[in-house]
Amino acid sequence: MSVLALAGGVGGAKLAEGLAAVLPPGALTVAVNVGDDFEHLGVRISPDIDTVTYTLSGLNNQEQGWGLAGETWQFMDALERLGGETWFRLGDRDMATHIERSRRLKAGETLSEITLGFAQQLGIKQPIVPVSDDPVRTVVTTDQGVLAFQDYFVRLRCAPIVERLEFAGAAEARISPGFATALAAPDLEAIIICPSNPFLSIQPILSIGGVREALEARRVPMIAVSPIIGGQAVKGPAAKIMDELGMTVSSLGVASFYGALLDGLMIDTVDAALKDEIAVTAVAVTDTMMRNANDRRRLAREALAFAERLRS
Ligand code: FO1
């Protein structure tokens, strides 16, 4: 049996970790957003791929969600002394990832090959694949002008008011080989959209040429876990962006965002009253907060069981 998970940043990586823990090695493919990628200080940085890779290898900084545990910051301190840009925090160990990825890209390797190579080196047993090896860049049009994603998200701390999101290159970008293989797997049993920001992490994936069509042609259930609990995002600016884009800031808004694409939506017990209003075909109500490894495994098992119920 095989399962495909779509993930972006920190929230997505948590459920991906739970799924990786409860599924047999090789049964899970995690397809990761690349819209947050950017060139910075002369290196290529793929934050969502690194967050998923570090999380599945157990090396991630659990409090922060991104970056490595036990990190040191000598490089940042030395860069500061030289007057370099230090708004995007790059730890000393994290820098190895960016330098080695950049070296391999310049040597002609694809992002997929590099990502798989790093995962294998770090002992990860579930394939992690970028959704595309072609450039896709989230561009945020705000009241403070048009911003590259990390300028909006990190440098300006999501303060600007979002007017529009675009995913430059997405229409021309091709689905990556690993993503296409997972989608076409004859033993595929479920597609799970992890509780990542629907706009910043999942929409860039859906915007890639052919992805939405491939998902609509699926023969297995596709479910999403709502990243909004009680009108608040668990982490990050999802609620703020929903509000700025004029959407209902609740699981209702998430359901209407995904529309008919979903077979089921998992919402938190806090939002149980919304269950009957949600137009998605099926709604499961459970504790969707992932506070620790047990929570991540439990939610993963419940998501798989929910998909199983929808399949039969
Ligand atoms: N997020 C921050 O809020 N501040 C940072 O300085 C920062 C640095 C950083 C470095 C490497 C990396 O892989 C992620 C990093 N992130 C940082 C998180 C990143 O901006 C987001 O996780 C994604 O782009 C959105 O999910």
Side-chain angles (χ1 to χ4, degrees):
M1 59 92 79
S2 71
V3 172
L4 169 62
L6 305 187
V10 173
K14 285 183 175 169
L15 184 58
E17 185 202 3
L19 288 164
V22 303
L23 286 167
L28 172 71
T29 296
V30 188
V32 186
N33 172 42
V34 293
D36 297 359
D37 290 18
F38 70 136
E39 294 289 325
H40 185 59
L41 304 177
V43 291
R44 162 73 175 270
I45 297 172
S46 299
D48 283 353
I49 289 176
D50 292 345
T51 297
V52 171
T53 302
Y54 292 163
T55 301
L56 262 61
S57 61
L59 293 171
N60 69 312
N61 176 320
Q62 305 256 344
E63 296 71 49
Q64 225 167 227
W66 52 267
L68 289 164
E71 190 54 281
T72 53
W73 305 91
Q74 306 302 312
F75 165 68
M76 280 276 108
D77 293 346
L79 187 63
E80 179 95 54
R81 200 165 44 227
L82 294 172
E85 284 188 77
T86 56
W87 56 269
F88 195 78
R89 310 296 299 156
L90 292 164
D92 300 332
R93 293 179 179 78
D94 192 32
M95 274 310 292
T97 303
H98 312 311
I99 289 175
E100 178 61 5
R101 172 181 287 124
S102 300
R103 182 192 68 76
R104 292 190 187 191
L105 283 170
K106 285 192 187 78
E109 285 188 52
T110 65
L111 186 58
S112 291
E113 289 163 341
I114 298 164
T115 303
L116 215 49
F118 285 1
Q120 281 163 348
Q121 278 294 125
L122 297 176
I124 295 171
K125 307 228 178 328
Q126 308 290 6
I128 299 171
V129 299
V131 288
S132 177
D133 287 333
D134 299 323
V136 178
R137 294 291 176 271
T138 299
V139 177
V140 190
T141 299
T142 75
D143 62 332
Q144 294 178 37
V146 180
L147 301 169
F149 178 78
Q150 297 297 349
D151 280 301
Y152 161 75
F153 192 81
V154 177
R155 190 168 59 78
L156 298 173
R157 303 196 184 295
C158 308
I161 309 247
V162 175
E163 293 159 6
R164 193 168 71 251
L165 290 170
E166 286 164 298
F167 310 108
E172 301 76 35
R174 288 157 297 171
I175 298 180
S176 71
F179 189 12
T181 301
L183 273 167
D187 62 349
L188 182 65
E189 295 191 356
I191 301 171
I192 297 175
I193 298 183
C194 297
S196 300
N197 184 315
F199 314 99
L200 297 184
S201 300
I202 304 301
Q203 197 175 8
I205 298 176
L206 301 177
S207 305
I208 288 168
V211 168
R212 188 175 278 272
E213 293 78 2
L215 292 175
E216 282 162 350
R218 69 185 183 277
R219 300 172 323 287
V220 298
M222 179 155 79
I223 65 167
V225 177
S226 175
I228 302 287
I229 298 179
Q232 296 297 319
V234 175
K235 182 178 175 68
K240 177 175 181 284
I241 294 175
M242 281 182 97
D243 184 44
E244 290 165 359
L245 292 177
M247 304 194 69
T248 319
V249 185
S250 71
S251 294
L252 222 51
V254 173
S256 65
F257 170 78
Y258 283 122
L261 196 59
L262 295 180
D263 297 304
L265 180 68
M266 297 184 86
I267 66 174
D268 194 83
T269 42
V270 162
D271 297 318
L274 296 174
K275 182 177 165 75
D276 300 337
E277 290 175 60
I278 290 176
V280 177
T281 45
V283 177
V285 181
T286 188
D287 177 2
T288 59
M289 274 301 284
M290 293 180 278
R291 301 164 195 81
N292 52 48
N294 288 339
D295 281 353
R296 295 193 281 271
R297 284 167 174 67
R298 173 187 48 74
L299 186 56
R301 285 195 190 92
E302 289 179 8
L304 294 168
F306 184 30
E308 173 69 33
R309 286 200 301 280
L310 293 175
R311 198 169 34 255
S312 52

